[in-house]
Amino acid sequence: MASTMKNLLAATSAGILLVALAACTPDVGSGTSTDSAAGGDAGSCSNTIVHPDAPQVSVWAWYPNINTVVDMFNKSHDNVQVCWSNAGQGGDEYAKFSTAIAAGTGAPDVIMLEAEVLPGFEIQNALVDLSQHGADKVKGNFSDGAWKDVSSGSSVYAIPVDGGPMAMIYRADIFKKYGIAIPTTWDEYAAAAQKLKDAGGPFMGDFGSNVPAWFTALMTQNGQTAWDYDSSNPQSIGIKLNDAGSQKVASYWQDLVSKKLVDTQDQFTTDYVAGLANGSYATYVSAAWAPGYLTGAGGAATGGAEWQVAPLPQWDASKPVSVNWGGSTFAVTTQAKDKDLSSTVAMELYASQEELQDGIDTQTIFPLNQQVLTSQSFADAPIAFFNGQKANGEVYIPAENAYPGYTYSPFTTYYYSELTKSMVSIIDGSKTGPQALDDLQSTMTEYAKSQGFTVK
């Protein structure tokens, strides 16, 4: 069993490659290089060290405004200094981290990780349980759902920073032109899609095969509880991917695809962004980070478009469910020289009012800290992308506060790869939605067993 689990860890670390969240675009920024962090494992700093006599904690992170926030942190802390470097975004950083785990050296003290990859690194004993280093003192800064995303059982493996409560971004100009009412349910969404097609209008939306996390969120919205996993019992997992609710979601989108009511363009591509800009799509079902992505992608999706946002359509309007797509965290690695000091950085970086305000002003992330989410100024802020709509207070804050959290598996990468194949089969019609999920259930069950897991 130990040998099999070791093979799993190797496969997990070698295969980490996730769909990059557009909200987290890399931006090394400018800064003054200094000596490398303690031990030199994480490379040279890309920022100024304000208090050179203070101990340094090395941090890998890729937020666009991270250099500004690090400078703020270092100016306000004379007991510790952050030595930041950009090791790449998402999969690029994860590959370097995996190499450092295998080598037993070279990892930073603190690392930015998307919540969905935490269990894969937890099972490699690469992350520190922050519940042993004071995490409870900041738990109240976050919603229950945000905290669940970084927890497993009684352990806490990261501190949430930003998230992706989902909503429906729509073209108000297109809705007005074709007399489309804002859909509150997915049935209404399908009816609107048919009305648009009958009138010679654009696609209602898109079902791309390269967004498995998006599809997972929509199945979760209809009751899917995919994984029963607790890091305190790491060799056991429950898998449930083909329940009736999930099959209904898969059939729903296959029906829209077959009737050509939605497109099947891969998202996060030049062509897709151009389609959003030129009115090829009436909606973009996405997350709170989408405005930052769309404006950051050359601003291509903003010219002349009248964007607004509404709550995510529901499968059952009487039982609304909030879901999340994406989000980043700060975790402490087991290679950290001083785990208490590193935990302090993980908890206090991107936590002050000044740092959070900078994150808000850049419009690239949706902060999860309750200092922001309970702020009237944040809720009432008119969002330029949405033509002055108070999107935070009207849509995104309620969605985040209602989000119940999610249990991720230790092999998210493999699951996303297989789910992508399932989505392709739904799009090309080679399988029905239920057939695709039945096969996915079998594939993931056999994979888990082959890697040494006991499947509940």
Side-chain angles (χ1 to χ4, degrees):
M1 176 67 75
S3 176
T4 307
M5 291 300 291
K6 184 176 180 180
N7 292 337
L8 167 65
L9 306 188
T12 302
S13 62
I16 290 177
L17 179 61
L18 299 176
V19 177
L21 295 182
C24 304
T25 334
D27 180 1
V28 175
S30 60
T32 304
S33 294
T34 68
D35 293 335
S36 54
D41 292 339
S44 298
C45 308
S46 296
N47 61 277
T48 300
I49 298 300
V50 179
H51 300 286
D53 294 333
Q56 294 181 20
V57 169
S58 58
V59 176
W60 284 357
W62 66 76
Y63 282 136
N65 64 327
I66 186 66
N67 54 312
T68 302
V69 171
V70 166
D71 286 345
M72 292 176 177
F73 179 95
N74 283 346
K75 288 176 183 177
S76 64
H77 289 72
D78 58 10
N79 62 324
V80 60
Q81 295 286 279
V82 167
C83 173
W84 163 68
S85 57
N86 189 325
Q89 176 181 332
D92 291 338
E93 182 204 70
Y94 304 158
K96 293 177 182 178
F97 186 31
S98 296
T99 297
I101 294 168
T105 186
D109 300 317
V110 175
I111 186 169
M112 176 182 288
L113 298 173
E114 290 161 299
E116 56 201 348
V117 304
L118 290 173
F121 287 117
E122 291 163 21
I123 204 170
Q124 299 177 73
N125 297 317
L127 304 180
V128 171
D129 179 1
L130 300 180
S131 70
Q132 307 300 312
H133 298 274
D136 278 352
K137 66 185 180 183
V138 299
K139 180 179 180 180
N141 293 342
F142 305 98
S143 69
D144 291 343
W147 201 251
K148 181 178 179 179
D149 280 355
V150 298
S151 304
S152 186
S154 61
S155 298
V156 179
Y157 288 100
I159 303 300
V161 180
D162 76 301
M166 290 185 68
M168 185 192 71
I169 298 174
Y170 65 97
R171 286 284 298 266
D173 49 338
I174 293 175
F175 272 38
K176 181 178 180 180
K177 178 180 179 181
Y178 292 95
I180 302 298
I182 298 173
T184 60
T185 67
W186 288 111
D187 285 343
E188 291 174 359
Y189 185 93
Q194 187 65 60
K195 183 176 181 178
L196 276 173
K197 182 181 179 183
D198 293 344
F203 288 114
M204 184 65 173
D206 182 72
F207 182 79
S209 64
N210 72 328
V211 283
W214 173 90
F215 194 37
T216 296
L218 295 187
M219 290 187 287
T220 301
Q221 190 194 25
N222 202 31
Q224 183 187 83
T225 305
W227 317 105
D228 180 6
Y229 177 73
D230 187 329
S231 62
S232 65
N233 186 18
Q235 296 179 353
S236 178
I237 192 167
I239 304 173
K240 191 175 182 181
L241 303 170
N242 61 339
D243 59 285
S246 300
Q247 292 186 345
K248 178 180 178 180
V249 176
S251 294
Y252 172 90
W253 285 99
Q254 185 169 43
D255 184 58
L256 295 189
V257 168
S258 66
K259 293 178 179 177
K260 300 188 185 304
L261 303 181
V262 296
D263 198 7
T264 56
Q265 177 75 245
D266 276 356
Q267 297 186 19
F268 303 111
T269 65
T270 301
D271 287 345
Y272 182 66
V273 174
L276 290 169
N278 65 28
S280 297
Y281 308 105
T283 70
Y284 179 29
V285 176
S286 192
W289 42 258
Y293 161 59
L294 295 176
T295 54
T302 58
E306 295 180 19
W307 293 103
Q308 295 275 275
V309 63
L312 191 68
Q314 295 292 319
W315 298 104
D316 182 349
S318 68
K319 300 176 182 178
V321 177
S322 180
V323 289
N324 184 81
W325 179 14
S328 301
T329 72
F330 285 126
V332 175
T333 77
T334 49
Q335 293 184 26
K337 310 300 182 298
D338 186 326
K339 293 177 176 56
D340 283 328
L341 200 59
S342 297
S343 298
T344 296
V345 169
M347 290 185 282
E348 295 185 9
L349 186 61
Y350 253 104
S352 72
Q353 287 187 346
E354 183 184 26
E355 292 162 10
L356 289 167
Q357 189 63 49
D358 186 79
I360 295 167
D361 291 343
T362 62
Q363 286 298 302
T364 56
I365 68 170
F366 184 80
L368 295 180
N369 194 300
Q370 290 293 314
Q371 287 186 65
V372 175
L373 300 187
T374 57
S375 165
Q376 201 63 45
S377 61
F378 182 69
D380 292 342
I383 306 302
F385 179 85
F386 293 122
N387 294 284
Q389 181 184 4
K390 298 176 181 179
N392 295 327
E394 293 177 14
V395 179
Y396 291 124
I397 294 174
E400 167 55 30
N401 287 337
Y403 171 58
Y406 186 81
T407 298
Y408 295 99
S409 84
F411 32 76
T412 295
T413 304
Y414 187 79
Y415 161 64
Y416 280 171
S417 174
E418 292 303 309
L419 178 56
T420 295
K421 296 176 185 177
S422 299
M423 295 170 74
V424 169
S425 70
I426 290 172
I427 290 169
D428 66 22
S430 58
K431 296 178 184 178
T432 66
Q435 286 173 342
L437 294 187
D438 284 344
D439 290 347
L440 180 65
Q441 173 72 20
S442 297
T443 296
M444 294 309 304
T445 298
E446 291 307 310
Y447 177 78
K449 291 178 179 177
S450 72
Q451 300 301 323
F453 287 92
T454 298
V455 179
K456 294 181 256 187

